[in-house]
């Protein structure tokens, strides 16, 4: 399901010297998503049956099997602000029924990365980054006041194929989510904290807090407008990273396969010294497997 990047990729330029080509994997992903966009013209009969699926996608602990492929691009990285990064997050979500009252939701983030000129003299790196694995224990029914919630552990696994693409640390900590869905609106927040407990002693320890408040609006045609931040505070470096993401997505049928496609912009309101700046973009293609 995952195709690794070409490790021999070189940054190609136009005559003015600006990067203009995508790595093969990401170029293919962009082409697929753009091609699928032609299928998003309103189909009201179909969209009515897709509205609930679109709302479930806004709920991180919904009992819905999904496999999102999330392509991100950011620029102006590194001490000289001349680095860029393509990041494809493969994020399978698997729900399991534990009892009449409880679900277990597995959420995995597997990053596939291609980056250039982020570390002076290091050139380009392509490959897999560190996996983040979350498990939520969540009641099947909302509370009396309408809140949906889940809590559990999160783990950082040092799976990076290049030491410049990961922390080279094992980590763990708690995670939790709480949200409400009222009519077309979904709002809430997801958070976790990871501490490292093993790994390369020469690498900096990990103590990182992730905060993701979110709000979305889903139409009768299964179009979702969403806004969130994916803020991270590094307690070791005492630095914030705060990207603001504005997205639009739609649930569509492609033959017998139900999918969601979307895209949007992000703006880095705050970043680390060597982190990205300005605007970036995100494209998302999600396979859905409703029961």
């Amino acid at each position: 399901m995952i195709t690794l990047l070409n490790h021999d990729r070189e940054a190609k330029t136009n005559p003015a010297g600006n990067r203009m080509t995508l790595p093969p994997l990401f170029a293919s992903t962009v082409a697929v998503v753009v091609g699928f966009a032609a299928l998003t013209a309103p189909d009201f009969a179909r969209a009515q049956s897709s509205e609930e699926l679109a709302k479930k996608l806004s709920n991180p602990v919904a009992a819905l099997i999904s496999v999102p492929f999330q392509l991100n691009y950011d620029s102006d990285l590194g001490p000289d602000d001349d680095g860029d990064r393509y990041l494809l997050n493969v994020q399978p979500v698997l729900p399991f029924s534990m009892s009449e009252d409880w679900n277990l939701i597995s959420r995995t983030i597997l990053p596939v990365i291609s980056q250039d000129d982020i570390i002076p003299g290091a050139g380009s790196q392509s490959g897999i980054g560190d996996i983040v694995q979350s498990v939520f224990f969540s009641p099947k029914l909302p509370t009396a006041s309408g809140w949906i919630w889940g809590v559990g552990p999160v783990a950082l696994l040092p799976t990076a194929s290049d030491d410049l693409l990961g922390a080279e640390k094992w980590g763990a900590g708690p995670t939790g989510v709480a949200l409400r869905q009222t009519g077309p609106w979904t709002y809430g927040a997801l958070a976790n904290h990871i501490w490292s407990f093993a790994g390369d002693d020469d690498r900096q320890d990990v103590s990182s807090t992730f905060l993701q408040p979110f709000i979305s609006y889903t139409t009768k045609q299964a179009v979702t407008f969403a806004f969130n931040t994916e803020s991270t505070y590094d307690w070791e470096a005492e630095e914030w990273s705060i990207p603001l993401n504005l997205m639009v997505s739609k649930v569509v049928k492609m033959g017998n396969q139900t999918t969601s496609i979307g895209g949007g912009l992000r703006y880095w309101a705050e970043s680390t010294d060597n982190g990205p700046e300005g605007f970036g973009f995100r494209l998302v293609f999600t396979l859905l497997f409703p029961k």
Side-chain angles (χ1 to χ4, degrees):
M1 181 172 61
I2 302 167
T3 302
L4 294 185
L5 303 178
N6 181 357
H7 287 250
D8 296 325
R9 184 181 68 86
E10 296 180 356
K12 299 181 180 179
T13 59
N14 63 14
N18 296 320
R19 295 182 185 86
M20 58 183 300
T21 60
L22 297 176
L25 173 61
F26 300 114
S28 300
T29 304
V30 171
V32 169
V33 174
V34 171
F36 287 158
L39 300 176
T40 60
D43 182 339
F44 288 8
R46 177 188 298 167
Q48 289 291 334
S49 63
S50 300
E51 180 188 0
E52 200 59 37
L53 284 177
K55 291 183 66 177
K56 284 187 174 182
L57 279 176
S58 298
N59 174 4
V61 289
L64 172 66
I65 298 174
S66 64
V67 185
F69 296 83
Q70 181 196 91
L71 174 66
N72 302 272
Y73 172 76
D74 293 301
S75 60
D76 296 333
L77 290 96
D80 299 321
D81 294 338
D82 55 3
D84 61 356
R85 175 186 291 140
Y86 295 91
L87 169 63
L88 178 66
N89 285 322
V90 184
Q91 302 174 299
V93 179
L94 300 174
F96 301 92
S97 177
M98 303 295 291
S99 69
E100 292 185 0
D101 300 319
W102 291 88
N103 284 329
L104 182 149
I105 313 294
S106 169
R107 297 181 64 90
T108 306
I109 301 177
L110 169 64
V112 184
I113 307 166
S114 180
Q115 61 186 30
D116 296 294
D117 300 327
I118 291 180
I119 300 172
S124 303
Q125 299 82 41
S126 295
I128 295 174
D130 292 341
I131 290 176
V132 175
Q133 174 66 53
S134 301
V135 176
F136 295 90
F137 296 92
S138 177
K140 291 184 176 181
L141 297 177
T143 66
S145 56
W147 284 94
I148 301 167
W149 61 275
V151 295
V154 59
L156 174 67
L157 311 178
T159 54
S161 58
D162 187 301
D163 60 5
L164 297 180
L165 297 178
E168 296 196 322
K169 293 285 189 179
W170 294 86
T175 186
V177 62
L179 67 138
R180 289 191 70 183
Q181 293 190 305
T182 305
W185 291 97
T186 299
Y187 56 90
L190 183 151
N192 67 46
H193 186 90
I194 296 176
W195 293 274
S196 59
F197 60 85
D200 189 339
D201 291 336
D202 293 330
R203 297 293 292 269
Q204 179 175 290
D205 290 338
V206 174
S207 179
S208 178
T209 299
F210 176 76
L211 301 172
Q212 186 186 44
F214 53 84
I215 185 169
S216 64
Y217 181 91
T218 300
T219 71
K220 295 293 185 181
Q221 291 73 45
V223 177
T224 298
F225 302 88
F227 175 77
N228 69 37
T229 74
E230 296 170 344
S231 304
T232 302
Y233 184 71
D234 184 338
W235 292 86
E236 295 291 327
E238 298 183 343
E239 291 180 317
W240 278 101
S241 295
I242 307 177
L244 310 177
N245 302 305
L246 184 62
M247 298 284 297
V248 180
S249 62
K250 178 174 172 57
V251 171
V252 296
K253 280 281 245 184
M254 298 177 185
N256 294 325
Q257 179 63 59
T258 305
T259 67
S260 173
I261 62 174
L265 294 174
R266 81 156 103 212
Y267 177 75
W268 289 88
E270 186 69 34
S271 188
T272 62
D273 289 341
N274 295 324
E277 298 176 2
F279 285 93
F281 70 78
R282 173 175 291 176
L283 300 174
V284 182
F285 172 61
T286 304
L287 299 173
L288 304 176
F289 302 94
K291 295 179 180 181

